[in-house]
Amino acid sequence: QVQLVETGGKLVQVGGSLRLSCAASGRPFSSLTMGWFRQAPGEEREFVASISRNGLNEDYADSVKGRFSVSRSNAKNMLYLQMNSLKPEDTAVYYCAAVLGAITRRMEGYDYWGQGTQVTVSS
C-alpha cells in the first residue's frame, strides 16, 4: 500500500503562485510514477501533470503547460507542483496519485490517491 498526503492548498489571488506538496510512504518512492490531478466543483477529475520515477520525464496538460512545474525528491519521498500565474479556472481540489507502472495521463492508470488539497484562485 501507498499512502499519499497533499498539503499546500489555500486561497490565492489571480496571478499568484503556490506550491503543493505530496508526501508518500509505504513503498520505495523511486519505484512510483507520480501524477497530479484536479477536480473543480461539478466537473470531472482531470489530469494536470505527471513525472517519471527518476524525474527525467514530465508531462503536462495543455491548460497548465508553461505555468505549472512538477518535480520530485526521491530522497525525501516528496512530490511537488509549482503553480505560477494562477487563474480562476485553476480553482479545484488537487490530488496526487501514484502507480508502479509507466508515466501516464490516464486517471485509471493510477492505483493510489491522496485525499486532496483545495486551491482557490480569487479575482
Side-chain angles (χ1 to χ4, degrees):
Q1 281 290 345
V2 175
Q3 292 77 45
L4 302 171
V5 179
E6 304 96 333
T7 56
K10 65 177 184 179
L11 175 65
V12 63
Q13 298 283 346
V14 167
S17 296
L18 197 60
R19 188 175 85 155
L20 304 183
S21 300
C22 174
S25 61
R27 279 190 178 269
F29 190 60
S30 59
S31 69
L32 298 170
T33 291
M34 301 298 297
W36 286 101
F37 290 77
R38 67 186 182 185
Q39 188 167 17
E43 302 289 334
E44 294 187 351
R45 195 170 298 188
E46 65 176 4
F47 169 76
V48 175
S50 59
I51 187 167
S52 61
R53 286 168 285 208
N54 59 11
L56 294 181
N57 294 309
E58 301 168 16
D59 187 25
Y60 297 92
D62 288 345
S63 59
V64 307
K65 199 171 293 184
R67 300 188 299 121
F68 290 12
S69 178
V70 62
S71 62
R72 65 189 294 161
S73 169
N74 286 351
K76 297 181 179 180
N77 297 343
M78 294 293 294
L79 174 73
Y80 305 101
L81 184 67
Q82 178 66 43
M83 305 186 292
N84 299 325
S85 302
L86 283 161
K87 305 174 180 180
E89 51 263 42
D90 295 319
T91 295
V93 177
Y94 284 72
Y95 299 89
C96 72
V99 64
L100 291 170
I103 191 169
T104 178
R105 293 184 166 209
R106 294 175 56 250
M107 192 170 63
E108 298 77 10
Y110 288 84
D111 297 316
Y112 307 102
W113 293 83
Q115 84 290 346
T117 186
Q118 176 71 49
V119 172
T120 303
V121 183
S122 172
S123 55

